[in-house]
Amino acid sequence: MGLYFLRRFLGLFLVLWCTITLTFFLVRLAPGTPFSRERKIPPAIEKQLLARYKLDGTLWEQYRGYLGGLCKGDLGPSVKYRDRSVNELVADALPVSAMLGLSAFLLATSLGIWLGSLAALRQHQWMDTFAMLGALVLISVPSFVIGPMLALVFGLWLRWLPVGGWGSWSCLILPALTLAGPYVAYIARLMRSSLLEVLHQDFIRTARAKGLSDAAVLTRHALKVALLPVVSFLGPLAANLLTGSIVVESIFGIPGMGGYFVNSILNRDVFLLSGVVIVYCTLLVVLNLCVDLLYGWLDRRIQIYE
Amino acid sequence: MSDAAPLSSTPGTWQRLARNRSAMAALAILGFIVAAAVFGPLLYSVDPHATSDAQFAPPSLAHFFGTDLNGRDLFARVLQGARISLLVGLSGALVSFFIGTAYGLLSGYAGGRTDATLMRIVEILYAVPRLIILLIASFVFDPMVKTQLAGVWDGRWVGYSKILILILALGLIEWLTMARIVRGQVLALKNQQFVVAARSLGQSHVRILLRHLLPNLAGIVIVYLTLTIPAVILDESLLSFLGLGIQAPQASWGSLLADGAQAINPVKSSWWLLVFPAGVMSLTLLALNFLGDGLRDALDPRQRR
């Protein structure tokens, strides 16, 4: 078990390091400097600016300097937002994005599992057909269609909820629904097919033969096994929610990490971009580790420490 | 997966598909949209780039889908956007098809350690935010490809550099599922008698892969190709929506939707800018997904819903 953890932990750092290095060199591969997009500045000043942000050394020196800073927890200065460090910007934006992501995550899993189970238990009835049709629609219609549509209907026509912004609970509802939508559908489909398969297995028949009620069979025996495919989808789900949150934040004007990500690409804000990518990637690898552990705990047949 | 009977284009597949009403409806809708994308701009000869004084005109007989901020005809723009979105979707899916099939064939056929390592790599890639890396890469490589293209054919291709990058890059990130599925099929197929027979006759590995395994994969590969196209269209429009994909004045459905989303505001909401591109795009994606599901059911009668 200890060895397994050690290996996973090393793997985690390897993935992180690869992403950091890839991002670092990709960003610097682009021709020009972060300052060359603004109006022409005298070469002397540009040189000073580059020196101030430590962007004047060779690539290798810059890379070493950046990694050194990272080890101390320093993500560097922001080139665009003068006088603010990337750490400060991330500290402001991360809780906002995390809040959105977490609500969408809870919404997607709970609603998806519930709908999927319902559809499986009522196979071939109108409820099942309806839910699966709805799921296919939700998967097909992208979030940047659903988002503005929801804003149009609930924000502008009915005036029930704010169209955008951040600050109150009501601001969270539309973005979370938009972000969770397609994944509710994915999980419902996964859950339905997996539960259908489990319900036909021998141990379920045994449980029924013992005289257990339908509810007990479901909660004590079937669900735990049927949940496995859903749990293994949680890793990709986390990755998708991260990417999705960039779009949803831009639709609803939410001051989270997504906005910084897009702007830092457009502004070639090298440190902010690397910083955001590092935060995203760290979140992902940690979440994936949690998912793997959860999976192992649910399914004892998988000997994770083998 | 391993004990599953191999899926192939068995006789009767087409008949089963033809009996699936939603799949046939999807096929008809797709045919119509593709025809509109190909021939539409020829028949409807309004220039999608021509600006006019009619700003934010609601839908009318003169402008079927209304006009946008610059007075451009939205119907013409949606038709042009369809060309780009469908082109990127189809070509990107083809790129992913080549990579995914080759990878899956190799992994499944090699088996053992190679297989385990290759599949572990796929697992890791699944967990990486690929679109985020892609966003950065497309931004970085665009100027480089532009300079390269400037020398080709009097620079007539420069405007297409972003499209080219998007096709390649999206193909490069969407092949994972295809690889997994092909590998699963190969694992199920490779111990069957016809493969064993071919091997005992002394045929080379390459020949077995290409002549015996690949044809048997055709069915399942077509299904997932159908399902990859909407995924790529979705990715492309996501990038364009964020302003990092197709560059103005060119338009794809994604960038039209971005314009439409901006036109939604409390003062004056020009709903048609959002509703029409959204409707056409959703219809296309829905039809592709329905067709893919229908094909899967037709190829594998056991899995009928």
Side-chain angles (χ1 to χ4, degrees):
Chain A
M1 195 70 189
L3 197 69
Y4 171 77
F5 264 112
L6 193 70
R7 252 179 51 197
R8 282 307 307 257
F9 221 67
L10 285 179
L12 194 149
F13 275 102
L14 192 71
V15 171
L16 255 182
W17 174 75
C18 285
T19 317
I20 292 169
T21 309
L22 190 69
T23 318
F24 183 93
F25 285 106
L26 260 183
V27 171
R28 279 159 182 79
L29 216 62
T33 68
F35 309 104
S36 57
R37 281 175 63 92
E38 300 172 16
R39 66 194 151 78
K40 268 271 173 267
I41 43 176
I45 294 180
E46 182 167 353
K47 212 171 155 193
Q48 274 191 355
L49 276 173
L50 285 176
R52 191 184 150 211
Y53 288 104
K54 299 199 182 72
L55 289 167
D56 52 349
T58 62
L59 262 184
W60 178 240
E61 279 168 14
Q62 288 184 37
Y63 179 62
R64 271 206 347 224
Y66 187 68
L67 277 191
L70 272 186
C71 293
K72 283 181 247 146
D74 179 16
L75 293 169
S78 165
V79 178
K80 175 74 183 174
Y81 305 88
R82 299 275 153 84
D83 305 321
R84 296 204 67 188
S85 73
V86 175
N87 288 52
E88 286 168 18
L89 292 171
V90 167
D92 282 349
L94 187 59
V96 175
S97 291
M99 184 77 168
L100 175 63
L102 195 68
S103 0
F105 181 83
L106 292 177
L107 207 63
T109 44
S110 54
L111 217 57
I113 291 173
W114 180 65
L115 278 174
S117 317
L118 216 61
L121 293 176
R122 291 171 175 60
Q123 199 191 359
H124 299 312
Q125 293 174 21
W126 67 268
M127 180 60 221
D128 176 34
T129 320
F130 188 73
M132 287 305 110
L133 204 68
L136 200 58
V137 172
L138 267 184
I139 290 174
S140 305
V141 181
S143 56
F144 45 86
V145 171
I146 299 178
M149 290 289 196
L150 285 178
L152 185 67
V153 174
F154 293 102
L156 289 177
W157 289 348
L158 297 172
R159 295 189 184 276
W160 287 351
L161 294 163
V163 180
W166 191 251
S168 68
W169 283 102
S170 55
C171 292
L172 189 63
I173 299 174
L174 288 185
L177 273 179
T178 308
L179 186 53
Y183 305 109
V184 172
Y186 267 118
I187 293 177
R189 275 166 66 128
L190 267 179
M191 188 68 202
R192 177 183 178 275
S193 60
S194 131
L195 190 56
L196 278 179
E197 205 177 306
V198 170
L199 285 177
H200 288 123
Q201 284 184 10
D202 291 343
F203 73 97
I204 295 295
R205 200 181 309 145
T206 313
R208 285 235 167 88
K210 282 197 307 187
L212 286 182
S213 68
D214 276 356
V217 170
L218 194 67
T219 51
R220 249 184 267 160
H221 298 277
L223 273 185
K224 209 173 154 191
V225 183
L227 273 175
L228 282 174
V230 176
V231 172
S232 59
F233 177 67
L234 292 185
L237 174 68
N240 285 326
L241 283 183
L242 275 184
T243 324
S245 71
I246 297 175
V247 179
V248 172
E249 283 174 19
S250 104
I251 296 170
F252 292 98
I254 293 168
M257 304 270 292
Y260 285 141
F261 176 71
V262 176
N263 283 331
S264 61
I265 293 183
L266 293 174
N267 297 324
R268 302 217 28 215
D269 194 338
V270 284
F271 295 111
L272 185 54
L273 179 57
S274 312
V276 172
V277 172
I278 289 170
V279 173
Y280 275 147
C281 196
T282 315
L283 273 175
L284 257 185
V285 284
V286 171
L287 283 174
N288 272 315
L289 187 64
C290 296
V291 168
D292 279 2
L293 292 178
L294 184 65
Y295 198 87
W297 177 72
L298 269 175
D299 190 14
R300 300 281 153 74
R301 283 173 302 181
I302 300 168
Q303 306 262 304
I304 51 171
Y305 43 85
E306 205 170 59
Chain B
M1 204 66 204
S2 56
D3 60 337
L7 299 181
S8 60
S9 34
T10 46
T13 301
W14 175 248
Q15 281 89 333
R16 271 199 296 277
L17 185 67
R19 250 183 284 135
N20 186 337
R21 255 178 294 162
S22 56
M24 289 327 279
L27 197 62
I29 291 173
L30 272 181
F32 179 72
I33 289 173
V34 170
V38 175
F39 302 112
L42 305 174
L43 299 174
Y44 187 78
S45 56
V46 174
D47 182 5
H49 302 304
T51 56
S52 72
D53 295 333
Q55 286 185 346
F56 291 125
S60 63
L61 277 179
H63 304 286
F64 297 139
F65 286 1
T67 62
D68 68 357
L69 167 71
N70 299 317
R72 287 174 293 192
D73 185 80
L74 188 62
F75 187 65
R77 299 201 79 202
V78 169
L79 283 178
Q80 193 211 15
R83 280 188 165 186
I84 292 183
S85 286
L86 290 175
L87 175 77
V88 173
L90 192 64
S91 329
L94 278 177
V95 173
S96 87
F97 154 77
F98 283 119
I99 301 173
T101 312
Y103 196 96
L105 270 176
L106 195 71
S107 183
Y109 192 70
R113 267 221 158 139
T114 319
D115 181 39
T117 315
L118 287 179
M119 281 302 115
R120 182 79 198 130
I121 292 174
V122 167
E123 253 167 60
I124 292 173
L125 285 178
Y126 256 117
V128 171
R130 303 185 294 284
L131 217 52
I132 285 179
I133 305 287
L134 166 67
L135 276 170
I136 302 172
S138 79
F139 187 75
V140 169
F141 290 122
D142 188 39
M144 298 181 192
V145 176
K146 271 208 174 83
T147 27
Q148 287 295 316
L149 287 176
V152 186
W153 206 27
D154 305 337
R156 243 173 276 184
W157 287 86
V158 172
Y160 296 96
S161 80
K162 202 81 187 198
I163 299 178
L164 211 66
I165 292 176
L166 283 176
I167 289 172
L168 281 178
L170 289 173
L172 276 174
I173 64 168
E174 285 290 357
W175 56 270
L176 299 176
T177 311
M178 183 74 92
R180 264 192 175 175
I181 284 161
V182 168
R183 174 211 172 238
Q185 285 303 118
V186 172
L187 280 184
L189 283 172
K190 76 171 180 185
N191 290 323
Q192 294 214 349
Q193 284 179 345
F194 70 98
V195 179
V196 178
R199 200 177 296 153
S200 58
L201 281 172
Q203 293 198 335
S204 70
H205 290 307
V206 177
R207 205 177 151 79
I208 292 177
L209 277 174
L210 296 182
R211 291 295 295 275
H212 298 285
L213 289 177
L214 203 55
N216 279 299
L217 293 169
I220 191 96
V221 162
I222 288 170
V223 171
Y224 280 90
L225 193 61
T226 320
L227 292 172
T228 308
I229 297 172
V232 175
I233 293 180
L234 215 63
D235 285 347
E236 178 273 320
S237 48
L238 190 149
L239 259 64
S240 299
F241 184 85
L242 291 173
L244 301 166
I246 302 293
Q247 304 286 298
Q250 281 172 342
S252 76
W253 287 334
S255 56
L256 289 176
L257 278 168
D259 291 350
Q262 265 171 10
I264 299 292
N265 59 59
V267 187
K268 182 178 183 290
S269 65
S270 312
W271 54 267
W272 55 90
L273 287 180
L274 181 66
V275 171
F276 288 117
V280 175
M281 181 175 169
S282 307
L283 202 62
T284 312
L285 297 177
L286 202 59
L288 279 165
N289 280 329
F290 261 113
L291 185 64
D293 273 12
L295 273 172
R296 185 166 38 194
D297 289 348
L299 281 165
D300 185 4
R302 288 175 302 116
Q303 296 241 303
R304 286 203 71 105
R305 288 207 287 122

